[in-house]
Amino acid sequence: MSILPLIILLLAMCATGYWYGSKKALSAPLPVRYLSSGNPHQFGLFVVVWGVLPPAMLFILWLVFSFLPIDADGSIAQQIDKVVFPALIMLGAAAGLYMAIREINPKLRVRKSLERCVYAALLLASTLSVFTTVGIVLSLLFETIQFFEKVPYSEFFLALDWSPQTAMRADQVGSSGSFGAVPLFTGTMLITFIAMIVAVPLGLMSAIYMTEYASRRFRATVKPILEILAGIPTVVYGFFAALTVGVFFRDVGTAIGLDVVTESALAAGVVMGMMIIPFISSLSDDVIMAVPQNLRDASYGLGATKSETVLKVIIPAALPGIVGAILLAMSRAIGETMIVVMAAGFAANLTANPLEAVTTVTVQIVGLLVGDQEFDSAKTLAAFALALTLFVITLCLNVIALLVVRKYREKYD
Amino acid sequence: MLAKDMNTVYNDTKSIISAKDVSVFYGEKRALKSVSLDIPENQITALIGPSGCGKSTFLRCLNRMNDTIENCRVEGNITVDGQDIYAPHVDEVLLRARVGMVFQKANPFPKSIYDNVAYAPRIHGLAKNKDELDDIVLASLEKAGLLDEVKDLLNESGTGLSGGQQQRLCIARALAVQPDIILMDEPCSALDPIATAKVEELIEELRKNYTIIIVTHSMQQAARISQKTAFFHLGEIVEIGETEQLFTSPNDKRTQGYITGRFG
């Protein structure tokens, strides 16, 4: 029996259970029903929960077992898969439904039981994302450990040269590769820095304009348009950076006698800044809106102008949120891939000159994993080491953001 | 009609603010209907009336705080010291420095007590150096009767004070701009009786040097501290009179109904 009919059958059983359960609850004499601790619909749901829970448990158990390395004969395994398991599930569901229906009586605290189910479901949903994070970190971690068995820590973190070419066969001509990640991280920092220089002032000022100066009608029309920026796929930004902005900067550079390459850090950084403007402006906008009106009134009432009020009252009061917004946008910029792949290129130059080509950690990860590769070569594993380092950096940023927010919140509440 | 008659009686004291036929619109809604009122100098004028009767709206016209509300339109004529404050050349920012305001909910900035009081002197450049600024801050706190309580806490956050202290801090902050007129919008409505008594004492003390206009929901408070009272109802002034006279023998039925607690 395959999974779809099984689910349909289960649903049908639950529906019947619901109908029967609510009917049984209704059949109690009226005065008793008044005293009962739930309405018929809740009794029905109670039955359904008991119909669904045992099969769900069994299903999870079965999943766990199927992952365990049990040496079983293929035909037996198939037998279990096709016959025993569905039968078990049906049996579980039927038993659950039967027990629940038998339990129904006006004294049953059905609302409290349902509340516990809601609690469990919510708890499950929230822990699931935590487990996913843990899973991601672990998967990165094991590959990274493998990588560092092949390449020493000192080389990865301190060497200034990045050319991850390894020979695929023993007799092949080729270097053993050098895995100094420093140029990648400086490149990432350079581009992120340029992006923040573009995005922070523009984003913040647009948020201030939208909240403090713009009329309600203007705000209602322009703000959604601004937020469209956030919905543009990053690939499109990549086009824009590579084909328009990069070329434009090169032409301007040539015109004023500067040597600007087309794939410059400047072009990638500026376009990335454009991309994160909506993050900063929209998050700051919310924070600024949340500053109590009576602080504004107090400032105006003392004869302050709008800009004085913004500068001396609103920004300080909203600062924790603004800092949080900026750091969030920064992690976003650090992890951004597509724009830099298209606009900044693969050349791992160690430079602070924004007019030259640089590369970033994310670009190199793409480069390392694209194409045919053995999965245990240092080249491929380097991608995991890079990813883990990047993850640690953004994690630190987020932690700092949290700390800053918390510290200032104490001060400004 | 009646309002005009009452006004003539009080012309012996010089009026510092004079409002004539003031109407206020929020969008299409008319919140204030042709209100006329003269405010005598160095006296406390109380504005009383049920919620939504326009008394706060009127108060906010006097320092053009209504300008900060979108869709709000003010008609009519208001003069402060004979100058039309809605004339095109008037700088509403300077006006608000002359006509200070204290709000219903104490709203100290989330800064230190010192910075709260120094806020307005700083933006208006009232002090040439740190010493002068110190003088202004200490004098303002002194006038607001708060200095003794906070002189060791000047660098603590203003939001850490008790409700009554916060409100007096807001008054000190308003005094630091050296205004002539102080508008108070239900300054005691969020305070307990003891804090209220302190603030009232302070208001009476301030009367010597300032003209005070206070909106209040408490008729006892109006009776206790004000010299002149105006009763607002549904966006109009029903009655203006000397406080004692208005509370003991009101001319209008509605006034009587309100002060005896029959409605409002």
Side-chain angles (χ1 to χ4, degrees):
Chain A
M1 204 193 240
S2 60
I3 204 92
L4 192 65
L6 197 66
I7 289 178
I8 291 172
L9 196 62
L10 256 180
L11 283 180
M13 282 170 76
C14 286
T16 322
Y18 175 84
W19 171 75
Y20 192 78
S22 44
K23 215 184 100 178
K24 187 174 173 193
L26 265 175
S27 70
L30 207 60
V32 181
R33 253 165 55 204
Y34 276 123
L35 294 173
S36 88
S37 60
N39 58 37
H41 151 75
Q42 284 164 330
F43 279 98
L45 276 181
F46 173 76
V47 174
V48 170
V49 167
W50 276 107
V52 171
L53 260 184
M57 298 276 217
L58 282 169
F59 184 71
I60 291 169
L61 223 68
W62 177 67
L63 270 184
V64 172
F65 272 120
S66 63
F67 275 115
L68 285 182
I70 302 171
D71 281 326
D73 196 345
S75 63
I76 297 178
Q78 243 184 9
Q79 283 271 313
I80 295 177
D81 221 32
K82 293 260 182 226
V83 182
V84 180
F85 170 67
L88 264 179
I89 281 197
M90 284 298 128
L91 222 68
L97 287 173
Y98 174 71
M99 297 284 278
I101 289 172
R102 221 184 51 171
E103 281 276 296
I104 287 181
N105 68 62
K107 285 209 185 86
L108 185 68
R109 297 253 169 261
V110 62
R111 288 174 64 202
K112 277 190 124 176
S113 321
L114 284 178
E115 197 60 36
R116 273 199 291 275
C117 291
V118 171
Y119 173 82
L122 295 180
L123 187 71
L124 195 72
S126 58
T127 44
L128 215 59
S129 59
V130 176
F131 283 127
T132 314
T133 315
V134 172
I136 289 174
V137 172
L138 286 183
S139 74
L140 285 179
L141 195 64
F142 291 126
E143 309 293 341
T144 306
I145 290 169
Q146 267 193 49
F147 171 74
F148 282 119
E149 280 163 8
K150 293 174 195 283
V151 177
Y153 290 98
S154 55
E155 184 184 339
F156 184 74
F157 287 113
L158 297 175
L160 305 180
D161 190 25
W162 176 266
S163 61
Q165 304 309 326
T166 48
M168 283 178 88
R169 293 188 310 275
D171 59 328
Q172 212 171 16
V173 200
S175 60
S176 56
S178 56
F179 292 94
V182 174
L184 308 188
F185 285 102
T186 52
T188 303
M189 277 194 275
L190 180 64
I191 288 183
T192 306
F193 181 68
I194 295 167
M196 296 320 279
I197 284 183
V198 173
V200 172
L202 285 180
L204 211 54
M205 285 198 251
S206 83
I208 290 169
Y209 178 74
M210 290 292 173
T211 48
E212 300 298 316
Y213 289 84
S215 72
R216 201 169 296 166
R217 255 181 58 204
F218 183 84
R219 186 181 149 85
T221 28
V222 174
K223 211 185 165 211
I225 296 176
L226 191 76
E227 278 165 4
I228 288 178
L229 268 181
I232 297 177
T234 53
V235 150
V236 177
Y237 281 105
F239 278 122
F240 181 56
L243 302 179
T244 312
V245 179
V247 175
F248 172 73
F249 282 157
R250 188 198 57 200
D251 291 349
V252 170
T254 330
I256 58 173
L258 275 173
D259 194 17
V260 185
V261 294
T262 316
E263 301 198 318
S264 64
L266 190 65
V270 167
V271 174
M272 195 191 276
M274 295 290 174
M275 182 197 79
I276 55 179
I277 284 174
F279 280 82
I280 295 186
S281 72
S282 149
L283 285 171
S284 313
D285 187 300
D286 293 344
V287 179
I288 291 173
M289 285 293 260
V291 172
Q293 180 62 32
N294 66 26
L295 289 186
R296 293 185 181 90
D297 283 347
S299 180
Y300 295 143
L302 290 166
T305 60
K306 250 183 181 162
S307 63
E308 285 162 346
T309 304
V310 166
L311 215 60
K312 296 192 168 155
V313 176
I314 293 172
I315 300 259
L319 196 63
I322 290 172
V323 170
I326 289 173
L327 288 178
L328 240 124
M330 206 159 143
S331 344
R332 178 76 211 248
I334 289 175
E336 172 50 39
T337 316
M338 219 50 227
I339 293 173
V340 268
V341 166
M342 296 174 83
F346 282 85
N349 292 328
L350 181 62
T351 175
N353 181 358
L355 305 180
E356 278 184 49
V358 297
T359 189
T360 67
V361 177
T362 48
V363 168
Q364 288 305 318
I365 293 176
V366 171
L368 293 171
L369 293 180
V370 168
D372 298 332
Q373 275 295 325
E374 310 159 51
F375 248 85
D376 57 348
S377 75
K379 183 180 168 185
T380 317
L381 292 173
F384 291 94
L386 286 176
L388 187 67
T389 320
L390 199 65
F391 179 79
V392 170
I393 290 174
T394 47
L395 186 74
C396 288
L397 268 182
N398 287 355
V399 170
I400 293 171
L402 256 160
L403 287 179
V404 169
V405 170
R406 194 172 301 159
K407 181 170 173 254
Y408 279 95
R409 180 163 297 157
E410 280 168 4
K411 210 167 155 191
Y412 282 112
D413 250 357
Chain B
M1 274 295 288
L2 195 62
K4 255 177 210 151
D5 293 341
M6 300 311 291
N7 268 346
T8 51
V9 179
Y10 292 98
N11 273 347
D12 51 334
T13 46
K14 185 181 157 245
S15 61
I16 187 164
I17 297 179
S18 152
K20 277 192 190 66
D21 291 329
V22 176
S23 295
V24 178
F25 300 84
Y26 293 118
E28 292 298 304
K29 192 174 158 276
R30 194 176 183 187
L32 219 55
K33 296 166 195 161
S34 294
V35 166
S36 298
L37 181 64
D38 285 339
I39 310 284
E41 196 170 9
N42 288 359
Q43 284 197 7
I44 300 173
T45 305
L47 312 182
I48 60 170
S51 297
C53 65
K55 54 196 190 308
S56 290
T57 300
F58 178 73
L59 194 72
R60 289 169 68 95
C61 289
L62 302 180
N63 67 345
R64 292 185 56 174
M65 276 300 275
N66 282 332
D67 291 14
T68 63
I69 298 173
E70 222 179 311
N71 285 333
C72 180
R73 202 170 84 248
V74 179
E75 280 174 8
N77 183 281
I78 301 175
T79 58
V80 173
D81 265 350
Q83 278 197 318
D84 181 2
I85 61 170
Y86 280 90
H89 66 275
V90 168
D91 181 354
E92 76 274 15
V93 167
L94 286 178
L95 172 74
R96 288 184 202 135
R98 267 203 71 199
V99 185
M101 190 156 192
V102 176
F103 296 85
Q104 177 172 12
K105 190 165 174 284
N107 51 1
F109 298 124
K111 304 170 183 286
S112 73
I113 292 172
Y114 184 95
D115 287 341
N116 258 289
V117 183
Y119 180 82
R122 276 186 181 135
I123 58 174
H124 293 292
L126 294 183
K128 281 201 268 309
N129 52 41
K130 181 88 174 76
D131 287 343
E132 278 188 32
L133 190 62
D134 284 350
D135 289 344
I136 294 177
V137 169
L138 294 180
S140 307
L141 285 170
E142 169 87 70
K143 277 188 231 158
L146 195 61
L147 189 59
D148 290 340
E149 290 158 67
V150 301
K151 62 169 173 273
D152 300 324
L153 312 169
L154 289 179
N155 291 317
E156 302 289 315
S157 173
T159 49
L161 297 173
S162 74
Q165 286 174 325
Q166 282 189 18
Q167 195 57 288
R168 280 181 287 151
L169 177 62
C170 292
I171 293 174
R173 186 175 65 185
L175 295 179
V177 213
Q178 286 144 18
D180 305 317
I181 301 155
I182 303 173
L183 311 176
M184 298 187 173
D185 193 352
E186 296 177 46
C188 300
S189 64
L191 303 181
D192 68 50
I194 295 167
T196 301
K198 277 202 158 158
V199 173
E200 281 184 12
E201 200 181 312
L202 168 62
I203 294 172
E204 284 192 71
E205 181 68 29
L206 291 176
R207 178 165 86 91
K208 290 177 197 146
N209 300 311
Y210 305 90
T211 304
I212 293 169
I213 304 153
I214 181 169
V215 165
T216 177
H217 266 136
S218 155
M219 277 159 300
Q220 289 91 333
Q221 183 172 61
R224 277 196 299 268
I225 60 174
S226 70
Q227 283 76 50
K228 184 175 175 180
T229 300
F231 172 59
F232 281 67
H233 185 50
L234 299 176
E236 288 172 276
I237 290 187
V238 172
E239 188 165 355
I240 307 168
E242 209 168 327
T243 300
E244 211 181 305
Q245 178 265 325
L246 188 128
F247 275 97
T248 48
S249 52
N251 288 318
D252 194 283
K253 275 212 311 284
R254 286 169 293 177
T255 316
Q256 191 173 23
Y258 183 71
I259 60 177
T260 53
R262 274 211 303 275
F263 78 94

